[in-house]
């Protein structure tokens, strides 16, 4: 059993039931206006024209500051050229290392491999 921050208790199978129930409601045209859709088949809903393209609303919103948005990150969430789902957030995976040490290694951007990258830390110890 999983307890959420709102105090709800989810038993095994409840999440799958939620996904099926929500997808059925959207497909029948009886879905809610705003939903957390991370686990729902957004592409299928877009293909069936069940979701509204948010681009028009975003462009007309006078209070929304586009400089506050990471537009390049939002592009990754577009379907068929439109913004039908807005991410609640995103993260970037990165490798961080000591520039001085890495500078001594010859990592040629044109021909490095993940195997070489994986062995690289072992050369420092």
């Amino acid at each position: 059993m999983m307890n959420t921050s709102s105090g709800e208790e989810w038993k095994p199978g409840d999440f799958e039931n939620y996904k099926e129930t929500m997808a059925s409601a959207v497909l029948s045209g009886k879905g809610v206006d705003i939903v957390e859709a991370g686990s729902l088949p957004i592409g299928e809903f877009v293909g069936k024209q069940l979701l509204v393209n948010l681009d028009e609303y975003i462009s007309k919103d006078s209070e929304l500051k586009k400089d506050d948005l990471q537009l390049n990150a939002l592009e990754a969430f577009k379907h068929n050229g439109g913004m039908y789902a807005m991410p609640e957030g995103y993260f970037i995976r990165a490798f961080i290392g000591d520039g001085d040490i890495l500078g001594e290694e010859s990592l040629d951007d044109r021909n490095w491999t993940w195997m070489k990258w994986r062995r690289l830390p072992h050369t420092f110890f």
Side-chain angles (χ1 to χ4, degrees):
M1 191 172 338
M2 178 180 77
N3 290 318
T4 66
S5 60
S6 65
E8 296 175 290
E9 293 182 2
W10 290 66
K11 296 180 222 79
D14 283 354
F15 186 68
E16 287 74 18
N17 186 44
Y18 160 77
K19 289 190 317 186
E20 289 175 18
T21 302
M22 191 59 67
S24 295
V26 170
L27 289 169
S28 71
K30 298 178 183 175
V32 296
D33 291 334
I34 298 175
V35 62
E36 192 289 311
S39 61
L40 299 175
I42 299 297
E44 182 181 336
F45 293 168
V46 170
K48 294 181 179 185
Q49 299 180 339
L50 296 170
L51 301 176
V52 66
N53 186 342
L54 300 172
D55 284 333
E56 182 179 337
Y57 295 96
I58 292 170
S59 66
K60 289 181 178 179
D61 190 324
S62 61
E63 294 180 27
L64 182 65
K65 297 177 186 165
K66 296 200 181 44
D67 291 340
D68 291 342
L69 301 176
Q70 298 293 326
L71 296 175
N72 54 347
L74 291 178
E75 285 294 318
F77 289 90
K78 287 197 171 192
H79 292 274
N80 295 343
M83 178 64 66
Y84 293 91
M86 180 70 68
E88 65 177 298
Y90 70 96
F91 62 92
I92 298 172
R93 292 183 181 179
F95 293 106
I96 300 173
D98 185 320
D100 293 335
I101 293 174
L102 290 174
E104 296 170 8
E105 292 296 317
S106 59
L107 286 176
D108 185 347
D109 288 343
R110 295 176 304 247
N111 64 13
W112 69 273
T113 65
W114 283 111
M115 190 55 72
K116 182 174 181 178
W117 179 261
R118 185 174 171 205
R119 287 191 300 259
L120 187 60
H122 299 291
T123 65
F124 303 135
F125 301 107

